[in-house]
Amino acid sequence: MKRYEGRPADCTGRLEKEIRTYDFLDRLGISYQRIDHEVTSTMEACAEIDKTLEAPTCKNLLLCNRQSTDFYLLLIPGDKVFKTSVLSKQIGSSRLSFASGEYMEQFLDITPGSLSILGLMNDHDHRVRLLIDREVLDEEYLGCHPCINTTTLRLRVADLVEKIIPAMEHEPTLVELPRQEQ
């Protein structure tokens, strides 16, 4: 795997949602690095990418309440466990479950396996509430997909907090999830 600076020089064959992500980051003046790779579908598959990017990839989970009326995008470190009961208490929403891929596509223009905080740029109706585990903010960099899981970007966490999230107009709620017990 090779790390590149910024967007691809030639976007031929790339999906519009990926190109739209690069356009969004470029408009904000965000510098980023990129690795193109095979489809990743597990955190284990992300380990080599993390090593090459020198940035941890976050787990991104799209959640909803039982009635599928409230939706949440949760970012947590890849080695943390998601516990519904702990998160539910912190955000005041009971009976959380994983939202269907249909909602992911409808609200974020992302297919399952490609979920990324950058998809919030497509949530113009603000249907999805952003939740970030505090430990994500302790890192200097993070890895995330540009709305497609065949590329991973290395972004500065400071740029995410100070420029990207405000531009997406999704005020984050900070949460604290426990580490996996050994």
PDB file of all heavy atoms in Angstrom, residues 135-165:
ATOM      1  N   GLU A 135     -12.306   9.386  23.613  1.00  0.00           N
ATOM      2  CA  GLU A 135     -10.961   8.886  23.290  1.00  0.00           C
ATOM      3  C   GLU A 135     -10.570   9.148  21.832  1.00  0.00           C
ATOM      4  O   GLU A 135      -9.394   9.245  21.523  1.00  0.00           O
ATOM      5  CB  GLU A 135     -10.849   7.397  23.600  1.00  0.00           C
ATOM      6  CG  GLU A 135     -10.671   7.123  25.074  1.00  0.00           C
ATOM      7  CD  GLU A 135     -10.336   5.671  25.340  1.00  0.00           C
ATOM      8  OE1 GLU A 135      -9.601   5.047  24.534  1.00  0.00           O
ATOM      9  OE2 GLU A 135     -10.803   5.156  26.367  1.00  0.00           O
ATOM     10  N   VAL A 136     -11.550   9.254  20.948  1.00  0.00           N
ATOM     11  CA  VAL A 136     -11.250   9.563  19.542  1.00  0.00           C
ATOM     12  C   VAL A 136     -10.533  10.907  19.465  1.00  0.00           C
ATOM     13  O   VAL A 136      -9.608  11.092  18.672  1.00  0.00           O
ATOM     14  CB  VAL A 136     -12.546   9.579  18.697  1.00  0.00           C
ATOM     15  CG1 VAL A 136     -12.294  10.141  17.302  1.00  0.00           C
ATOM     16  CG2 VAL A 136     -13.143   8.174  18.614  1.00  0.00           C
ATOM     17  N   LEU A 137     -10.923  11.833  20.319  1.00  0.00           N
ATOM     18  CA  LEU A 137     -10.363  13.182  20.300  1.00  0.00           C
ATOM     19  C   LEU A 137      -8.968  13.260  20.906  1.00  0.00           C
ATOM     20  O   LEU A 137      -8.299  14.279  20.779  1.00  0.00           O
ATOM     21  CB  LEU A 137     -11.304  14.148  21.020  1.00  0.00           C
ATOM     22  CG  LEU A 137     -12.738  14.192  20.481  1.00  0.00           C
ATOM     23  CD1 LEU A 137     -13.578  15.157  21.288  1.00  0.00           C
ATOM     24  CD2 LEU A 137     -12.765  14.517  19.001  1.00  0.00           C
ATOM     25  N   ASP A 138      -8.528  12.182  21.555  1.00  0.00           N
ATOM     26  CA  ASP A 138      -7.190  12.138  22.157  1.00  0.00           C
ATOM     27  C   ASP A 138      -6.091  11.874  21.124  1.00  0.00           C
ATOM     28  O   ASP A 138      -4.920  12.083  21.404  1.00  0.00           O
ATOM     29  CB  ASP A 138      -7.111  11.051  23.235  1.00  0.00           C
ATOM     30  CG  ASP A 138      -7.967  11.374  24.447  1.00  0.00           C
ATOM     31  OD1 ASP A 138      -8.314  12.562  24.636  1.00  0.00           O
ATOM     32  OD2 ASP A 138      -8.300  10.435  25.193  1.00  0.00           O
ATOM     33  N   GLU A 139      -6.475  11.408  19.948  1.00  0.00           N
ATOM     34  CA  GLU A 139      -5.507  11.086  18.895  1.00  0.00           C
ATOM     35  C   GLU A 139      -5.172  12.334  18.086  1.00  0.00           C
ATOM     36  O   GLU A 139      -5.964  13.272  18.011  1.00  0.00           O
ATOM     37  CB  GLU A 139      -6.076  10.016  17.956  1.00  0.00           C
ATOM     38  CG  GLU A 139      -6.387   8.693  18.627  1.00  0.00           C
ATOM     39  CD  GLU A 139      -5.149   7.936  19.074  1.00  0.00           C
ATOM     40  OE1 GLU A 139      -4.059   8.165  18.502  1.00  0.00           O
ATOM     41  OE2 GLU A 139      -5.276   7.110  19.983  1.00  0.00           O
ATOM     42  N   GLU A 140      -4.016  12.335  17.454  1.00  0.00           N
ATOM     43  CA  GLU A 140      -3.661  13.442  16.570  1.00  0.00           C
ATOM     44  C   GLU A 140      -4.320  13.269  15.200  1.00  0.00           C
ATOM     45  O   GLU A 140      -4.735  14.238  14.562  1.00  0.00           O
ATOM     46  CB  GLU A 140      -2.145  13.539  16.402  1.00  0.00           C
ATOM     47  CG  GLU A 140      -1.730  14.727  15.572  1.00  0.00           C
ATOM     48  CD  GLU A 140      -0.219  14.913  15.479  1.00  0.00           C
ATOM     49  OE1 GLU A 140       0.540  14.133  16.084  1.00  0.00           O
ATOM     50  OE2 GLU A 140       0.198  15.861  14.784  1.00  0.00           O
ATOM     51  N   TYR A 141      -4.409  12.024  14.744  1.00  0.00           N
ATOM     52  CA  TYR A 141      -4.988  11.710  13.442  1.00  0.00           C
ATOM     53  C   TYR A 141      -6.044  10.629  13.581  1.00  0.00           C
ATOM     54  O   TYR A 141      -6.054   9.886  14.556  1.00  0.00           O
ATOM     55  CB  TYR A 141      -3.907  11.191  12.476  1.00  0.00           C
ATOM     56  CG  TYR A 141      -2.854  12.208  12.131  1.00  0.00           C
ATOM     57  CD1 TYR A 141      -1.644  12.237  12.827  1.00  0.00           C
ATOM     58  CD2 TYR A 141      -3.068  13.139  11.121  1.00  0.00           C
ATOM     59  CE1 TYR A 141      -0.670  13.178  12.517  1.00  0.00           C
ATOM     60  CE2 TYR A 141      -2.096  14.078  10.801  1.00  0.00           C
ATOM     61  CZ  TYR A 141      -0.903  14.100  11.511  1.00  0.00           C
ATOM     62  OH  TYR A 141       0.056  15.032  11.203  1.00  0.00           O
ATOM     63  N   LEU A 142      -6.895  10.517  12.568  1.00  0.00           N
ATOM     64  CA  LEU A 142      -7.799   9.387  12.488  1.00  0.00           C
ATOM     65  C   LEU A 142      -7.950   8.998  11.033  1.00  0.00           C
ATOM     66  O   LEU A 142      -7.742   9.817  10.127  1.00  0.00           O
ATOM     67  CB  LEU A 142      -9.166   9.692  13.108  1.00  0.00           C
ATOM     68  CG  LEU A 142     -10.153  10.496  12.287  1.00  0.00           C
ATOM     69  CD1 LEU A 142     -11.436   9.695  12.166  1.00  0.00           C
ATOM     70  CD2 LEU A 142     -10.472  11.795  12.965  1.00  0.00           C
ATOM     71  N   GLY A 143      -8.281   7.744  10.825  1.00  0.00           N
ATOM     72  CA  GLY A 143      -8.531   7.243   9.487  1.00  0.00           C
ATOM     73  C   GLY A 143     -10.016   7.084   9.276  1.00  0.00           C
ATOM     74  O   GLY A 143     -10.734   6.632  10.173  1.00  0.00           O
ATOM     75  N   CYS A 144     -10.494   7.480   8.092  1.00  0.00           N
ATOM     76  CA  CYS A 144     -11.905   7.304   7.764  1.00  0.00           C
ATOM     77  C   CYS A 144     -12.057   7.189   6.250  1.00  0.00           C
ATOM     78  O   CYS A 144     -11.183   7.614   5.490  1.00  0.00           O
ATOM     79  CB  CYS A 144     -12.759   8.428   8.317  1.00  0.00           C
ATOM     80  SG  CYS A 144     -12.440  10.037   7.598  1.00  0.00           S
ATOM     81  N   HIS A 145     -13.162   6.615   5.831  1.00  0.00           N
ATOM     82  CA  HIS A 145     -13.428   6.446   4.401  1.00  0.00           C
ATOM     83  C   HIS A 145     -14.009   7.732   3.798  1.00  0.00           C
ATOM     84  O   HIS A 145     -14.751   8.446   4.464  1.00  0.00           O
ATOM     85  CB  HIS A 145     -14.431   5.318   4.173  1.00  0.00           C
ATOM     86  CG  HIS A 145     -13.956   3.978   4.610  1.00  0.00           C
ATOM     87  ND1 HIS A 145     -12.766   3.428   4.192  1.00  0.00           N
ATOM     88  CD2 HIS A 145     -14.523   3.050   5.422  1.00  0.00           C
ATOM     89  CE1 HIS A 145     -12.628   2.229   4.729  1.00  0.00           C
ATOM     90  NE2 HIS A 145     -13.679   1.983   5.483  1.00  0.00           N
ATOM     91  N   PRO A 146     -13.720   7.985   2.527  1.00  0.00           N
ATOM     92  CA  PRO A 146     -14.351   9.101   1.825  1.00  0.00           C
ATOM     93  C   PRO A 146     -15.680   8.648   1.195  1.00  0.00           C
ATOM     94  O   PRO A 146     -15.909   8.778  -0.006  1.00  0.00           O
ATOM     95  CB  PRO A 146     -13.318   9.487   0.764  1.00  0.00           C
ATOM     96  CG  PRO A 146     -12.661   8.184   0.428  1.00  0.00           C
ATOM     97  CD  PRO A 146     -12.640   7.407   1.719  1.00  0.00           C
ATOM     98  N   CYS A 147     -16.534   8.056   2.048  1.00  0.00           N
ATOM     99  CA  CYS A 147     -17.863   7.560   1.654  1.00  0.00           C
ATOM    100  C   CYS A 147     -17.812   6.329   0.755  1.00  0.00           C
ATOM    101  O   CYS A 147     -18.800   5.954   0.136  1.00  0.00           O
ATOM    102  CB  CYS A 147     -18.706   8.668   1.022  1.00  0.00           C
ATOM    103  SG  CYS A 147     -18.987  10.059   2.145  1.00  0.00           S
ATOM    104  N   ILE A 148     -16.643   5.687   0.689  1.00  0.00           N
ATOM    105  CA  ILE A 148     -16.468   4.433  -0.054  1.00  0.00           C
ATOM    106  C   ILE A 148     -15.344   3.653   0.630  1.00  0.00           C
ATOM    107  O   ILE A 148     -14.356   4.247   1.064  1.00  0.00           O
ATOM    108  CB  ILE A 148     -16.153   4.697  -1.554  1.00  0.00           C
ATOM    109  CG1 ILE A 148     -16.161   3.416  -2.370  1.00  0.00           C
ATOM    110  CG2 ILE A 148     -14.867   5.451  -1.736  1.00  0.00           C
ATOM    111  CD1 ILE A 148     -17.529   2.839  -2.569  1.00  0.00           C
ATOM    112  N   ASN A 149     -15.508   2.338   0.776  1.00  0.00           N
ATOM    113  CA  ASN A 149     -14.543   1.579   1.580  1.00  0.00           C
ATOM    114  C   ASN A 149     -13.385   0.964   0.799  1.00  0.00           C
ATOM    115  O   ASN A 149     -12.775   0.000   1.236  1.00  0.00           O
ATOM    116  CB  ASN A 149     -15.252   0.519   2.422  1.00  0.00           C
ATOM    117  CG  ASN A 149     -15.908  -0.556   1.597  1.00  0.00           C
ATOM    118  OD1 ASN A 149     -15.950  -0.484   0.377  1.00  0.00           O
ATOM    119  ND2 ASN A 149     -16.441  -1.557   2.262  1.00  0.00           N
ATOM    120  N   THR A 150     -13.042   1.563  -0.341  1.00  0.00           N
ATOM    121  CA  THR A 150     -11.847   1.133  -1.070  1.00  0.00           C
ATOM    122  C   THR A 150     -10.742   2.185  -0.973  1.00  0.00           C
ATOM    123  O   THR A 150      -9.718   2.077  -1.641  1.00  0.00           O
ATOM    124  CB  THR A 150     -12.174   0.866  -2.554  1.00  0.00           C
ATOM    125  OG1 THR A 150     -12.829   2.014  -3.092  1.00  0.00           O
ATOM    126  CG2 THR A 150     -13.053  -0.372  -2.700  1.00  0.00           C
ATOM    127  N   THR A 151     -10.979   3.189  -0.139  1.00  0.00           N
ATOM    128  CA  THR A 151     -10.006   4.243   0.127  1.00  0.00           C
ATOM    129  C   THR A 151     -10.153   4.645   1.582  1.00  0.00           C
ATOM    130  O   THR A 151     -11.258   4.674   2.114  1.00  0.00           O
ATOM    131  CB  THR A 151     -10.246   5.465  -0.786  1.00  0.00           C
ATOM    132  OG1 THR A 151     -10.102   5.066  -2.140  1.00  0.00           O
ATOM    133  CG2 THR A 151      -9.271   6.593  -0.486  1.00  0.00           C
ATOM    134  N   THR A 152      -9.036   4.949   2.228  1.00  0.00           N
ATOM    135  CA  THR A 152      -9.068   5.470   3.593  1.00  0.00           C
ATOM    136  C   THR A 152      -8.236   6.740   3.631  1.00  0.00           C
ATOM    137  O   THR A 152      -7.156   6.802   3.039  1.00  0.00           O
ATOM    138  CB  THR A 152      -8.535   4.434   4.604  1.00  0.00           C
ATOM    139  OG1 THR A 152      -9.316   3.235   4.501  1.00  0.00           O
ATOM    140  CG2 THR A 152      -8.630   4.962   6.033  1.00  0.00           C
ATOM    141  N   LEU A 153      -8.767   7.742   4.326  1.00  0.00           N
ATOM    142  CA  LEU A 153      -8.092   9.031   4.442  1.00  0.00           C
ATOM    143  C   LEU A 153      -7.492   9.181   5.830  1.00  0.00           C
ATOM    144  O   LEU A 153      -8.042   8.677   6.811  1.00  0.00           O
ATOM    145  CB  LEU A 153      -9.085  10.179   4.221  1.00  0.00           C
ATOM    146  CG  LEU A 153      -9.876  10.168   2.924  1.00  0.00           C
ATOM    147  CD1 LEU A 153     -10.820  11.362   2.889  1.00  0.00           C
ATOM    148  CD2 LEU A 153      -8.956  10.150   1.730  1.00  0.00           C
ATOM    149  N   ARG A 154      -6.408   9.908   5.894  1.00  0.00           N
ATOM    150  CA  ARG A 154      -5.782  10.289   7.168  1.00  0.00           C
ATOM    151  C   ARG A 154      -6.072  11.774   7.369  1.00  0.00           C
ATOM    152  O   ARG A 154      -5.619  12.615   6.596  1.00  0.00           O
ATOM    153  CB  ARG A 154      -4.276  10.057   7.115  1.00  0.00           C
ATOM    154  CG  ARG A 154      -3.551  10.457   8.375  1.00  0.00           C
ATOM    155  CD  ARG A 154      -2.052  10.258   8.159  1.00  0.00           C
ATOM    156  NE  ARG A 154      -1.318  10.330   9.396  1.00  0.00           N
ATOM    157  CZ  ARG A 154      -0.210  11.049   9.548  1.00  0.00           C
ATOM    158  NH1 ARG A 154       0.280  11.759   8.547  1.00  0.00           N
ATOM    159  NH2 ARG A 154       0.419  11.054  10.700  1.00  0.00           N
ATOM    160  N   LEU A 155      -6.860  12.064   8.413  1.00  0.00           N
ATOM    161  CA  LEU A 155      -7.243  13.434   8.735  1.00  0.00           C
ATOM    162  C   LEU A 155      -6.730  13.812  10.109  1.00  0.00           C
ATOM    163  O   LEU A 155      -6.671  12.963  11.007  1.00  0.00           O
ATOM    164  CB  LEU A 155      -8.771  13.576   8.753  1.00  0.00           C
ATOM    165  CG  LEU A 155      -9.529  13.302   7.464  1.00  0.00           C
ATOM    166  CD1 LEU A 155     -11.023  13.261   7.743  1.00  0.00           C
ATOM    167  CD2 LEU A 155      -9.204  14.368   6.434  1.00  0.00           C
ATOM    168  N   ARG A 156      -6.394  15.072  10.289  1.00  0.00           N
ATOM    169  CA  ARG A 156      -6.038  15.569  11.614  1.00  0.00           C
ATOM    170  C   ARG A 156      -7.322  15.687  12.427  1.00  0.00           C
ATOM    171  O   ARG A 156      -8.320  16.225  11.937  1.00  0.00           O
ATOM    172  CB  ARG A 156      -5.357  16.925  11.519  1.00  0.00           C
ATOM    173  CG  ARG A 156      -3.988  16.884  10.854  1.00  0.00           C
ATOM    174  CD  ARG A 156      -3.335  18.267  10.809  1.00  0.00           C
ATOM    175  NE  ARG A 156      -3.183  18.836  12.144  1.00  0.00           N
ATOM    176  CZ  ARG A 156      -2.187  18.537  12.983  1.00  0.00           C
ATOM    177  NH1 ARG A 156      -1.252  17.692  12.627  1.00  0.00           N
ATOM    178  NH2 ARG A 156      -2.118  19.101  14.165  1.00  0.00           N
ATOM    179  N   VAL A 157      -7.312  15.197  13.650  1.00  0.00           N
ATOM    180  CA  VAL A 157      -8.483  15.292  14.521  1.00  0.00           C
ATOM    181  C   VAL A 157      -8.839  16.763  14.746  1.00  0.00           C
ATOM    182  O   VAL A 157     -10.017  17.127  14.768  1.00  0.00           O
ATOM    183  CB  VAL A 157      -8.253  14.538  15.855  1.00  0.00           C
ATOM    184  CG1 VAL A 157      -9.368  14.822  16.850  1.00  0.00           C
ATOM    185  CG2 VAL A 157      -8.129  13.034  15.589  1.00  0.00           C
ATOM    186  N   ALA A 158      -7.824  17.630  14.860  1.00  0.00           N
ATOM    187  CA  ALA A 158      -8.089  19.066  15.033  1.00  0.00           C
ATOM    188  C   ALA A 158      -8.875  19.619  13.846  1.00  0.00           C
ATOM    189  O   ALA A 158      -9.809  20.422  14.034  1.00  0.00           O
ATOM    190  CB  ALA A 158      -6.784  19.836  15.222  1.00  0.00           C
ATOM    191  N   ASP A 159      -8.548  19.205  12.624  1.00  0.00           N
ATOM    192  CA  ASP A 159      -9.301  19.653  11.447  1.00  0.00           C
ATOM    193  C   ASP A 159     -10.726  19.127  11.480  1.00  0.00           C
ATOM    194  O   ASP A 159     -11.672  19.827  11.101  1.00  0.00           O
ATOM    195  CB  ASP A 159      -8.622  19.197  10.154  1.00  0.00           C
ATOM    196  CG  ASP A 159      -7.358  19.980   9.835  1.00  0.00           C
ATOM    197  OD1 ASP A 159      -7.204  21.116  10.344  1.00  0.00           O
ATOM    198  OD2 ASP A 159      -6.517  19.464   9.070  1.00  0.00           O
ATOM    199  N   LEU A 160     -10.878  17.895  11.930  1.00  0.00           N
ATOM    200  CA  LEU A 160     -12.214  17.313  12.045  1.00  0.00           C
ATOM    201  C   LEU A 160     -13.077  18.152  12.986  1.00  0.00           C
ATOM    202  O   LEU A 160     -14.185  18.550  12.634  1.00  0.00           O
ATOM    203  CB  LEU A 160     -12.115  15.863  12.548  1.00  0.00           C
ATOM    204  CG  LEU A 160     -13.436  15.130  12.681  1.00  0.00           C
ATOM    205  CD1 LEU A 160     -14.006  14.800  11.313  1.00  0.00           C
ATOM    206  CD2 LEU A 160     -13.249  13.866  13.510  1.00  0.00           C
ATOM    207  N   VAL A 161     -12.541  18.452  14.159  1.00  0.00           N
ATOM    208  CA  VAL A 161     -13.298  19.169  15.189  1.00  0.00           C
ATOM    209  C   VAL A 161     -13.493  20.645  14.842  1.00  0.00           C
ATOM    210  O   VAL A 161     -14.593  21.179  15.017  1.00  0.00           O
ATOM    211  CB  VAL A 161     -12.586  19.020  16.556  1.00  0.00           C
ATOM    212  CG1 VAL A 161     -13.220  19.908  17.612  1.00  0.00           C
ATOM    213  CG2 VAL A 161     -12.604  17.559  16.998  1.00  0.00           C
ATOM    214  N   GLU A 162     -12.449  21.282  14.343  1.00  0.00           N
ATOM    215  CA  GLU A 162     -12.495  22.732  14.135  1.00  0.00           C
ATOM    216  C   GLU A 162     -13.063  23.164  12.791  1.00  0.00           C
ATOM    217  O   GLU A 162     -13.574  24.278  12.669  1.00  0.00           O
ATOM    218  CB  GLU A 162     -11.086  23.313  14.302  1.00  0.00           C
ATOM    219  CG  GLU A 162     -10.530  23.127  15.693  1.00  0.00           C
ATOM    220  CD  GLU A 162      -9.032  23.397  15.797  1.00  0.00           C
ATOM    221  OE1 GLU A 162      -8.440  23.925  14.816  1.00  0.00           O
ATOM    222  OE2 GLU A 162      -8.443  23.067  16.837  1.00  0.00           O
ATOM    223  N   LYS A 163     -12.965  22.307  11.763  1.00  0.00           N
ATOM    224  CA  LYS A 163     -13.388  22.724  10.428  1.00  0.00           C
ATOM    225  C   LYS A 163     -14.453  21.824   9.807  1.00  0.00           C
ATOM    226  O   LYS A 163     -15.462  22.304   9.304  1.00  0.00           O
ATOM    227  CB  LYS A 163     -12.174  22.771   9.488  1.00  0.00           C
ATOM    228  CG  LYS A 163     -11.120  23.783   9.888  1.00  0.00           C
ATOM    229  CD  LYS A 163      -9.926  23.709   8.961  1.00  0.00           C
ATOM    230  CE  LYS A 163      -8.817  24.660   9.411  1.00  0.00           C
ATOM    231  NZ  LYS A 163      -7.624  24.534   8.559  1.00  0.00           N
ATOM    232  N   ILE A 164     -14.210  20.511   9.812  1.00  0.00           N
ATOM    233  CA  ILE A 164     -15.088  19.589   9.087  1.00  0.00           C
ATOM    234  C   ILE A 164     -16.457  19.479   9.750  1.00  0.00           C
ATOM    235  O   ILE A 164     -17.488  19.669   9.087  1.00  0.00           O
ATOM    236  CB  ILE A 164     -14.421  18.202   8.939  1.00  0.00           C
ATOM    237  CG1 ILE A 164     -13.142  18.332   8.110  1.00  0.00           C
ATOM    238  CG2 ILE A 164     -15.383  17.203   8.320  1.00  0.00           C
ATOM    239  CD1 ILE A 164     -12.262  17.099   8.090  1.00  0.00           C
ATOM    240  N   ILE A 165     -16.496  19.177  11.040  1.00  0.00           N
ATOM    241  CA  ILE A 165     -17.787  19.024  11.719  1.00  0.00           C
ATOM    242  C   ILE A 165     -18.591  20.325  11.676  1.00  0.00           C
ATOM    243  O   ILE A 165     -19.782  20.287  11.344  1.00  0.00           O
ATOM    244  CB  ILE A 165     -17.600  18.489  13.159  1.00  0.00           C
ATOM    245  CG1 ILE A 165     -17.072  17.051  13.111  1.00  0.00           C
ATOM    246  CG2 ILE A 165     -18.911  18.566  13.945  1.00  0.00           C
ATOM    247  CD1 ILE A 165     -16.669  16.467  14.451  1.00  0.00           C
TER     248      ILE A 165
END
